[in-house]
Amino acid sequence: MLSVVVPARNESANLAPLLDRLVPVLGGLDLPYEIVVVDDGSTDATFQTVMALRERERRLKLVSLSRNFGKEIALAAGLRYATGDAVVLMDADLQHPPETIRDFVAKWREGYRFVYAQRRSRHGEAPLRRFLAKRFYRVFARVGEVALLEGGGDFCLLDRKVADALAAMPERNRFGKGLYAWVGFKSAAVPFEVQSRLAGRSQWSLWRLWTYAIDGIASFTTVPLRLWTYVGAAIALLSLAFGAAILLRTLIWGAEVPGYPSLFVAVSFLAGIQLIGLGVIGEYIGRIFTEVKQRPLFLVDAAIGFDDKATDPAPPAAPTKS
Ligand code: UDP
Ligand code: MG
């Protein structure tokens, strides 16, 4: 069986067109299938739209979260409910052409456990966004502990093994692309062209992308922490050399009084440097804090269509407490 997990936040206008294209594709695969829409705290009629669509498509299921948890967590919720031997993750806004799923399944049948769509270009995006994304991949490639799949990752097919591995990861700061890379397994890329969003607006502001990038770096490397040792060592060495120079100069030419401006610059520069260092440490401590609280990753308000039970508030496999 194939499961398709679709995270949706305020996508009521897109779900019917999505289904119109998705169902024929899935029907032609000659595999039983289910479509799991995760309503991620939508404030529009997404819930009602899915319920209405269920009248004509019984294989459509709905997991409704108690509030907005963000796409990555919505995906984790979908993964926990999806029961297929393979799980496709795709956006609800038709930016991911459903027809690509045919190629996914073909690759999966060849034995690949992780098949992802790789965009051919980023030309639909604003130049600033494209530039920043490029930078991010550049930086991540240098410091990250895993190699990210460039130009892809959020439209993909996961074999059951990969899906289970991801569902078993309890981390709260979920950086999907990094997690896919971390689990490994034999993977294949399928080229595709990103479409523009059918209706509505992207939920990803530049600020949110920035936070996501920091999440990515902080979840997959401790290099920023270690960096401060070197920054500190370099500044200490420079100060020693400077001190020695001043000592020599004083011994040879005597003491001179001026120097307050330079003193002030040095003090404020160092204060700034130290605060940045503290901020970086804070990033990591904040992450430790959210992890040790051990709150559930998400809360489900209703799960509809699973085992034909009307509501099932408890996820099938609750995260294990260690
Ligand atoms: N999404 C979600 N929760 C959120 C934000 C987005 O489930 O808090 C879903 C959204 O409905 C869509 C997908 O994630 O199906 C991608 O979101 P969007 O189109 O806003 O992002 P972009 O395509 O700009 O990366
Ligand atoms: Mg989108």
Side-chain angles (χ1 to χ4, degrees), residues 248-301:
L248 268 180
R249 205 172 57 173
T250 314
L251 288 177
I252 299 169
W253 288 293
E256 39 174 315
V257 181
Y260 288 108
S262 55
L263 202 64
F264 183 76
V265 169
V267 167
S268 50
F269 173 72
L270 281 179
I273 290 273
Q274 284 176 353
L275 287 180
I276 297 173
L278 276 180
V280 172
I281 296 171
E283 272 298 324
Y284 284 87
I285 293 182
R287 251 153 261 272
I288 297 171
F289 180 56
T290 43
E291 298 295 342
V292 295
K293 274 189 291 187
Q294 292 267 314
R295 288 199 180 140
L297 206 50
F298 52 83
L299 288 179
V300 174
D301 181 38

Side-chain angles (χ1 to χ4, degrees), residues 112-162:
Y112 291 99
R113 295 206 186 272
F114 179 68
V115 189
Y116 64 99
Q118 189 171 39
R119 11 181 146 70
R120 288 209 188 89
S121 61
R122 282 184 166 266
H123 59 65
E125 289 177 46
L128 178 64
R129 245 171 118 131
R130 209 171 359 169
F131 172 79
L132 291 175
K134 277 233 170 81
R135 285 297 100 166
F136 171 72
Y137 282 107
R138 195 75 56 82
V139 171
F140 200 98
R142 300 199 77 165
V143 302
E145 69 184 27
V146 292
L148 290 189
L149 319 159
E150 189 159 2
D154 53 355
F155 180 24
C156 56
L157 176 146
L158 318 170
D159 179 72
R160 177 59 22 213
K161 278 211 161 112
V162 181

Side-chain angles (χ1 to χ4, degrees), residues 7 9 11 40 68 91-93 95 197 202-204 208:
R9 167 155 169 87
E11 302 281 8
D40 184 19
N68 178 241
D91 287 358
D93 53 6
Q95 285 195 283
R197 184 173 241 287
S202 168
Q203 319 272 337
W204 290 79
R208 211 159 161 181

Side-chain angles (χ1 to χ4, degrees), residues 6-11 38-42 68-72 74-75 90-96 129 154 194 197 201-204 208-209:
V6 184
R9 167 155 169 87
N10 297 345
E11 302 281 8
V38 182
D39 176 9
D40 184 19
S42 298
N68 178 241
F69 281 90
K71 178 183 170 182
E72 297 286 338
L75 283 175
M90 76 185 296
D91 287 358
D93 53 6
L94 281 166
Q95 285 195 283
H96 298 157
R129 245 171 118 131
D154 53 355
V194 187
R197 184 173 241 287
R201 261 180 339 109
S202 168
Q203 319 272 337
W204 290 79
R208 211 159 161 181
L209 280 177

Side-chain angles (χ1 to χ4, degrees), residues 24-106:
V25 170
L26 296 177
L29 286 177
D30 167 48
L31 264 175
Y33 65 86
E34 63 174 358
I35 303 169
V36 180
V37 173
V38 182
D39 176 9
D40 184 19
S42 298
T43 50
D44 70 350
T46 297
F47 184 89
Q48 290 83 343
T49 308
V50 178
M51 292 308 278
L53 288 169
R54 265 176 55 77
E55 296 300 317
R56 68 175 159 96
E57 179 53 69
R58 297 306 292 182
R59 279 163 288 198
L60 181 63
K61 302 171 181 185
L62 174 63
V63 177
S64 178
L65 301 184
S66 61
R67 63 167 171 88
N68 178 241
F69 281 90
K71 178 183 170 182
E72 297 286 338
I73 290 180
L75 283 175
L79 270 179
R80 205 166 290 161
Y81 277 89
T83 52
D85 302 300
V87 184
V88 169
L89 308 178
M90 76 185 296
D91 287 358
D93 53 6
L94 281 166
Q95 285 195 283
H96 298 157
E99 294 72 26
T100 312
I101 295 176
R102 289 196 197 107
D103 305 334
F104 282 178
V105 171

